[in-house]
Amino acid sequence: DIQMTQSPPTLSASVGDRVTITCRASQSISSWLAWYQQKPGKAPKLLIYKASSLESGVPSRFSGSGSGTEFTLTISSLQPDDFATYYCQQYNSFALTFGGGTKVEIK
Amino acid sequence: QVQLVESGGGLVKPGGSLRLSCSASGFTFSDYYMSWIRQAPGKGLEWVSYISRSGNTIYYADSVKGRFTVSRDNAKNSLYLQMNSLRAEDTAVYYCARDRATGAFDYWGQGTLVTVSS
């Protein structure tokens, strides 16, 4: 199975900060990567698919980049609604796998 | 609007069985691949199973292979997960999710909690 490693596990930031989360795959997954946001007690929400395509309705402050084995999710200016946990997921091959998550906390 | 509603969760003893259902509405169910994904309390997301539009192609995580069975009834707009030989480590919120045709999940249900405990 392809292992997905996210860093950092926790990130403390302030409103207005630029935030970057990294996801590394144990082998090449081309651009078959998605990013999700999850808030406590809620289902995950798709933000980015195919590494850099913004899902409809998602604010443009979210962006994704990368290919192969290294990917990033960037929030250009952190907003109060963005404090949540973020997960990457590869869909290059089965078994589909998720990263361990990055919790974005208020500094 | 797209809706996915899971049901069937609850408390079950180790070794027991449970059948989860996911009722879909607001889209043409038979046009989409579907998956089950779970999340143990306080933990991350774990993909469980995938089923193709017709049900002919199915995949499972190694952790549930041989114990869980996914199925769908396109006439009833429903997805199912039959869970047998349940273990304590199967305790989780189980989500059904729609695959946006590439393997990323664009809609999720609210989840149903399965607790395996004696």
Side-chain angles (χ1 to χ4, degrees):
Chain A
D1 294 359
I2 298 174
Q3 307 304 315
M4 304 301 293
T5 304
Q6 276 184 247
S7 60
T10 307
L11 188 160
S12 295
S14 302
V15 172
D17 284 353
R18 181 181 182 88
V19 166
T20 299
I21 299 168
T22 298
C23 180
R24 289 188 174 88
S26 60
Q27 63 190 74
S28 178
I29 58 170
S30 184
S31 295
W32 302 118
L33 185 100
W35 289 98
Y36 301 88
Q37 176 194 68
Q38 187 179 33
K39 296 182 179 179
K42 300 293 187 182
K45 173 187 174 183
L46 178 64
L47 301 175
I48 302 284
Y49 63 95
K50 210 173 178 185
S52 60
S53 296
L54 192 68
E55 176 70 353
S56 176
V58 174
S60 59
R61 63 181 180 272
F62 292 93
S63 64
S65 64
S67 65
T69 61
E70 191 143 340
F71 303 86
T72 58
L73 173 71
T74 300
I75 309 172
S76 60
S77 177
L78 199 65
Q79 298 302 300
D81 191 48
D82 301 338
F83 291 97
T85 300
Y86 294 83
Y87 294 93
C88 61
Q89 176 230 333
Q90 69 81 18
Y91 49 100
N92 179 76
S93 60
F94 289 94
L96 306 180
T97 45
F98 290 87
T102 295
K103 186 175 183 179
V104 177
E105 299 180 326
I106 300 173
K107 193 171 185 179
Chain B
Q1 72 283 19
V2 173
Q3 269 202 308
L4 297 169
V5 179
E6 302 93 339
S7 60
L11 175 63
V12 61
K13 289 181 168 53
S17 298
L18 215 53
R19 188 195 196 207
L20 305 184
S21 299
C22 171
S23 177
S25 60
F27 65 102
T28 304
F29 182 68
S30 58
D31 284 350
Y32 288 85
Y33 308 106
M34 299 292 294
S35 276
W36 288 98
I37 296 147
R38 68 184 180 182
Q39 187 168 36
K43 302 296 184 183
L45 300 167
E46 180 188 16
W47 168 79
V48 172
S49 183
Y50 157 100
I51 186 167
S52 64
R53 290 173 292 190
S54 64
N56 287 345
T57 300
I58 287 171
Y59 295 101
Y60 296 101
D62 285 346
S63 57
V64 307
K65 204 173 292 182
R67 301 187 298 121
F68 289 12
T69 302
V70 65
S71 61
R72 66 190 295 163
D73 185 335
N74 287 339
K76 293 184 177 179
N77 293 331
S78 292
L79 175 72
Y80 306 101
L81 187 67
Q82 177 67 43
M83 304 186 296
N84 298 332
S85 303
L86 283 161
R87 306 166 180 166
E89 54 265 35
D90 295 318
T91 294
V93 173
Y94 284 73
Y95 297 100
C96 65
R98 189 181 86 165
D99 183 327
R100 70 181 318 282
T102 58
F105 304 112
D106 60 353
Y107 284 93
W108 298 59
Q110 85 288 352
T112 187
L113 176 62
V114 172
T115 303
V116 184
S117 174
S118 54

